Amino acid sequence: MDPVANPFSPGAGSRPPELAGREDVVGAAEIALKRVIIGKSAQSQIFLGLRGTGKTVLLNEVLEIAEREGYIAAFIEAPENKSLTEMIYPAMRQVLRKLSGLEKAKYMATKGLKALRGFASAFKISLGDIEIGVEPDPGVADSGNLEVDLGEMFEAIGRAAKAADKGWVLLIDEVQYLETNELAAVIVAVHRMSQRNLPVMVFAGGLPQIAKLSGDAKSYAERLFVYPKIGALDEIAARDAILKPLAAENVQIESQAIERINEKTGGYPFFLQEWGHHAWNVADGSPIETDDIDLATKRALARLDEGFFRVRFDKLTNAEVEYVEAMASLGKGPYKVNDVAKVLQKQPKSLGPRRASIITKGMIYSPSYGEIDFTVPLFDDFLRRNKLW
Ligand SMILES: Nc1ncnc2c1ncn2[C@@H]1O[C@H](COP(=O)(O)OP(=O)(O)OP(=O)(O)O)[C@@H](O)[C@H]1O
Ligand SMILES: [Mg+2]
């Protein structure tokens, strides 16, 4: 069928034609946003899930709802090799500048911009275009202690937003890349917002393995945040993800063909888009048949192997490749750390650093004590398909 009309959208963060099976998550986010902006309490949220499950898409959805509800929103992606302060600075500057344009918030926002000058110099952030006429406010947000200073910045922003009957929502993607102290600072800042009853919320998304917190940050994190699990879609939602976009184009699909797609994709959103995309392109017309899916599967796997899987594989060193291949040789995960060590004929302890480094790269995570699994769904199949060992 005409590729130009293809409704499916495989790709990182691309909005799906049908956001299937996420009504509860989106609904809960909407309620929380609506409550906080009218001065009621609600928990901030961290969406946790494997690669390609739709976390970024959900954060974008939250962003839209937030803007509709009167928030100013900022979207940042936690960088693998950069500091949080560098990423968050422009986001804070943007919200304060917007607020300073609103009569009711002008005074508080200008105070916030002064505090931001202090913050920038405390964390050695190079100011692209220096705020003209804004002098720093010594003693505010400039101690160099991130927990304290970020809290003071959030407070300044929250007060300015409140003065204008607005809110601020900060969206942080790839939150697993934050350093422990950075995540702790965000959490402590959110705590401060809830204590002061200020309209600031954080929504984040990341891999299940996020930094281990301790002390105050840990106890706040448990109370102030919820962690919706973003997983594969159930059968009904997975069916919707394919059927609805097709129906909108007046295209039918055989029910066996849908079943085949479900079976091949495991209901993972990214794979559903990929299979839907190829199924559309290979089919002659409506209805899409089961044979079409067989050809689509070949194409989808070829493309995933060259792209989605390959780019991740290429981040690994040879020793790390050896480790993940040992995992895949055991079949489906999760895998016992000890079993992987046996395959490699090494002591589990001696493999600790290697494992840790693969975890830091976001390729594997520990679903429970003594166990590991891939963060990329079907990565084990990829390794076995391209068996190099
Ligand atoms: N609920 C859904 N229904 C159908 N397709 C979806 C859904 N959510 C996401 N998708 C599709 O899945 C793909 C991956 O989405 P997204 O990039 O948001 O995942 P992610 O969890 O952020 O992945 P990563 O961890 O790699 O960043 C996109 O092509 C998107 O269109
Ligand atoms: Mg993402």
Side-chain angles (χ1 to χ4, degrees), residues 19 39 53 78 80 97 137 235 299 351 381:
L19 185 63
T53 47
E80 235 182 303
R97 292 190 53 141
D137 189 0
E235 231 169 278
R299 294 204 183 170
L351 290 166
D381 286 339

Side-chain angles (χ1 to χ4, degrees), residues 26-78:
V26 172
E30 181 164 2
I31 292 170
L33 287 162
K34 283 184 164 161
R35 285 179 59 83
V36 165
I37 206 156
I38 56 169
K40 295 200 152 62
S41 73
Q43 288 159 302
S44 280
Q45 307 195 3
I46 302 184
F47 302 141
L48 295 180
L50 303 180
R51 290 282 171 209
T53 47
K55 303 175 297 295
T56 303
V57 161
L58 281 169
L59 290 176
N60 279 313
E61 191 72 18
V62 170
L63 184 147
E64 265 182 35
I65 297 170
E67 287 183 336
R68 210 161 59 219
E69 295 301 328
Y71 287 80
I72 295 172
F75 194 117
I76 63 173
E77 185 176 317

Side-chain angles (χ1 to χ4, degrees), residues 23 47 118 120 140 159 177 206 244 262 330 334:
E23 297 79 8
F47 302 141
V140 182
R159 290 199 185 285
Y177 290 138
K244 290 195 176 172
N262 271 351
L330 292 164

Side-chain angles (χ1 to χ4, degrees), residues 119-384:
F119 183 88
S121 62
F123 294 98
K124 306 195 169 50
I125 297 159
S126 50
L127 306 169
D129 41 356
I130 294 186
E131 304 295 339
I132 299 161
V134 176
E135 291 303 318
D137 189 0
V140 182
D142 62 358
S143 72
N145 175 335
L146 186 59
E147 267 185 31
V148 174
D149 296 346
L150 195 65
E152 288 182 353
M153 279 316 307
F154 272 39
E155 180 162 350
I157 294 169
R159 290 199 185 285
K162 193 171 184 172
D165 302 314
K166 292 258 171 203
W168 185 49
V169 65
L170 176 64
L171 303 135
I172 311 177
D173 206 358
E174 303 284 354
V175 71
Q176 77 279 354
Y177 290 138
L178 291 185
E179 299 291 336
T180 310
N181 73 311
E182 294 174 335
L183 182 63
V186 170
I187 285 165
V188 171
V190 168
H191 177 243
R192 189 163 172 154
M193 295 303 92
S194 90
Q195 272 188 328
R196 310 270 198 282
N197 201 20
L198 291 171
V200 175
M201 292 197 85
V202 171
F203 283 82
L207 297 175
Q209 186 90 9
I210 59 171
K212 294 249 179 314
L213 295 164
S214 58
D216 285 349
K218 187 180 165 116
S219 73
Y220 297 157
E222 282 158 10
R223 281 186 290 121
L224 292 171
F225 282 82
V226 281
Y227 302 87
K229 281 206 179 68
I230 311 302
L233 302 183
D234 64 27
E235 231 169 278
I236 296 170
R239 179 177 285 266
D240 280 351
I242 298 291
L243 268 185
K244 290 195 176 172
L246 290 177
E249 304 284 337
N250 287 319
V251 171
Q252 318 296 315
I253 179 166
E254 288 179 352
S255 65
Q256 244 196 326
I258 287 250
E259 265 166 44
R260 186 67 55 88
I261 293 180
N262 271 351
E263 183 192 305
K264 296 289 177 193
T265 59
Y268 281 100
F270 182 74
F271 300 142
L272 286 166
Q273 296 303 322
E274 195 73 54
W275 258 259
H277 174 86
H278 290 288
W280 174 283
N281 285 353
V282 303
D284 291 330
S286 179
I288 296 177
E289 296 168 348
T290 314
D291 287 351
D292 296 326
I293 306 308
D294 293 337
L295 183 52
T297 297
K298 278 209 189 95
R299 294 204 183 170
L301 288 176
R303 200 163 96 152
L304 289 168
D305 284 5
E306 283 162 25
F308 188 72
F309 293 128
R310 188 82 220 179
V311 293
R312 297 185 155 90
F313 182 83
D314 287 345
K315 281 167 113 187
L316 302 174
T317 65
N318 289 343
E320 290 164 356
V321 165
E322 191 184 60
Y323 193 91
V324 295
E325 286 182 343
M327 288 168 65
S329 76
L330 292 164
K332 287 262 149 226
Y335 312 91
K336 292 211 164 54
V337 167
N338 288 348
D339 291 347
V340 181
K342 261 186 221 147
V343 175
L344 293 171
Q345 300 176 320
K346 294 236 161 70
Q347 287 302 317
K349 250 204 170 138
S350 72
L351 290 166
R354 209 190 293 187
R355 197 168 58 240
S357 134
I358 313 174
I359 290 175
T360 307
K361 288 182 178 173
M363 284 298 308
I364 61 174
Y365 75 111
S366 170
S368 61
Y369 185 76
E371 289 192 332
I372 40 164
D373 205 347
F374 292 107
T375 59
V376 181
L378 309 185
F379 199 71
D380 54 326
D381 286 339
F382 161 75
L383 290 171
R384 284 190 297 265

